[in-house]
Amino acid sequence: MPTPTHDPVLAALLHPFANGLLPWSSQALLLRARAGVAGHGRGFVASQPFRPEAESLQRAGIELLDEDALPEATFPLVLVLPPRQREEARALLAKACAAVAPGGRVVAAVANDEGAKSREADLEQLVGSVATLGKHHCRVFWTSSDSTFNAALLEQWRLLDAPRRILTQDVPGGGVLSRPGIFAWDRIDPASALLAAALPDTLRGRVADFGAGWGYLSLQVLARCPQVQSLELYEADARALALAQRNLAVARVPVHAHWQDVAAGVDARFDAIVCNPPFHALGRGERPDIGRAFIAAAAAALNPGGSLWLVANRHLPYEEALANGFASVRAVQQQGGFKIVQALKA
């Protein structure tokens, strides 16, 4: 099996197979698989809640499964790329252990600067001991074919990232649903709160929330803007979008949710768009190109005279993208390291 070079963590994950240390199985499950795995085997299935990566996997003919409904004790090989958030990562490792068939192996890889030693220790807690090696500034670690799992801990950890009520004292109606691992999962993001407070009550018609998360901005739009007639939610993280749908299930206007990468463009047209664009993807480095793509998508999706209300970290270089896409751009507020911008379509 060749080893991809463009993705160090994926390369580390596949290294023991590429070098003959472990046998590959065509009946493998890859949790949080990334596009670089396409072409490195046949017959495996995968999970990936992040839409851009999921689309690449689907184009390669890889079947995607729901992480929250995996078949148990089925796969002779389960590979995992654990996320950074601890509860989410532990839950995913537990789901991997539950999905592996008797005599099978769980193999995981994590970058050294993203908690590799902690995730290795987590898998050790579930199985007792693991083999490990370092590669590409990452650690790859795996169970043996005769490993036995700590059943009680496995059941406990599988629920660590389950949806639960948060902000029960701060949100009308007894709080909202969220879960570990999604953006600002256990709090109101201060940038989004600043934008919500700045929204005018004159927003009307058809409105979209680009990068909706668990639905905070959408809830605020409906609470503050009585002339809004419909709401469209766009979110690339399937886990977050499912929560937003539940949080807005009894909204006063029609609400539609789209598992979609806004950076790739949106076909629909709107009278207003609210947006707190992401500036990270699956890696740690800042990605201002994502925010610029969101701005371009908003400019294309707005009706003439429509408005974009955007919040971003003050240092992010979005001014040129805003000037290119809109007839007028107004700095509404700068506070706490954030900037709020209103941009009007010609």
Side-chain angles (χ1 to χ4, degrees):
M1 174 184 294
T3 302
T5 58
H6 67 286
D7 187 332
V9 185
L10 182 59
L13 182 70
L14 298 180
H15 177 74
F17 305 99
N19 288 272
L21 297 174
L22 292 176
W24 178 257
S25 171
S26 61
Q27 294 179 305
L29 168 65
L30 284 70
L31 297 179
R32 303 295 171 95
R34 303 216 277 255
V37 77
H40 296 285
R42 288 292 181 267
F44 55 79
V45 295
S47 78
Q48 177 50 262
F50 185 54
R51 183 63 173 173
E53 293 289 343
E55 287 180 323
S56 296
L57 293 165
Q58 289 174 320
R59 284 194 296 268
I62 298 172
E63 179 186 357
L64 296 182
L65 302 183
D66 181 354
E67 288 175 359
D68 295 329
L70 296 174
E72 296 195 9
T74 298
F75 301 96
L77 178 63
V78 181
L79 295 93
V80 194
L81 292 172
R84 189 177 303 125
Q85 206 277 339
R86 187 182 68 172
E87 286 79 8
E88 184 189 12
R90 284 181 166 181
L92 196 65
L93 287 172
K95 291 170 187 175
C97 293
V100 74
R105 283 189 174 88
V106 174
V107 185
V110 181
N112 289 338
D113 61 356
E114 294 188 359
K117 288 186 177 181
S118 295
R119 298 293 80 79
E120 180 185 344
D122 288 342
L123 189 57
E124 283 185 332
Q125 287 192 64
L126 288 170
V127 302
S129 64
V130 297
T132 184
L133 62 84
K135 192 70 176 178
H136 305 301
H137 303 289
C138 305
R139 294 175 78 86
V140 55
F141 41 95
W142 60 89
T143 64
S144 66
S145 58
D146 59 355
S147 292
T148 58
F149 302 112
N150 182 329
L153 188 61
L154 189 149
E155 285 304 310
Q156 177 185 338
W157 281 13
R158 286 172 73 176
L159 299 175
L160 284 178
D161 75 334
R164 78 281 310 265
R165 291 278 170 188
I166 64 165
L167 306 173
T168 55
Q169 304 300 319
D170 303 314
V171 178
V176 294
L177 284 171
S178 186
R179 66 189 301 185
I182 68 172
F183 174 70
W185 80 269
D186 58 351
R187 66 191 190 280
I188 296 174
D189 172 61
S192 293
L194 196 66
L195 177 57
L199 291 176
D201 61 9
T202 54
L203 289 187
R204 65 179 65 204
R206 194 176 188 206
V207 178
D209 183 350
F210 280 9
W214 53 256
Y216 171 76
L217 273 178
S218 292
L219 289 166
Q220 292 296 310
V221 166
L222 293 181
R224 297 168 183 266
C225 309
Q227 299 177 80
V228 169
Q229 296 174 346
S230 67
L231 194 57
E232 304 285 325
L233 282 59
Y234 290 85
E235 173 56 51
D237 184 347
R239 300 167 77 248
L241 186 64
L243 295 165
Q245 288 179 281
R246 295 174 67 179
N247 288 329
L248 289 143
V250 293
R252 61 175 177 80
V253 302
V255 176
H256 301 98
H258 308 270
W259 184 37
Q260 188 167 330
D261 177 16
V262 169
V266 171
D267 291 334
R269 295 294 175 265
F270 304 102
D271 300 304
I273 295 171
V274 297
C275 183
N276 180 1
F279 57 98
H280 298 281
L282 292 181
R284 276 190 170 184
E286 285 192 0
R287 291 279 308 277
D289 59 299
I290 298 175
R292 290 193 288 265
F294 269 54
I295 292 168
L302 281 167
N303 291 322
S307 61
L308 167 66
W309 285 82
L310 175 142
V311 65
N313 287 41
R314 191 181 300 182
H315 71 279
L316 291 172
Y318 292 159
E319 282 68 25
E320 183 177 354
L322 288 162
N324 289 338
F326 294 89
S328 67
V329 178
R330 179 172 69 97
V332 176
Q333 187 177 356
Q334 295 193 32
Q335 181 179 321
F338 305 112
K339 56 188 174 186
I340 296 175
V341 174
Q342 180 197 22
L344 296 177
K345 182 81 172 281

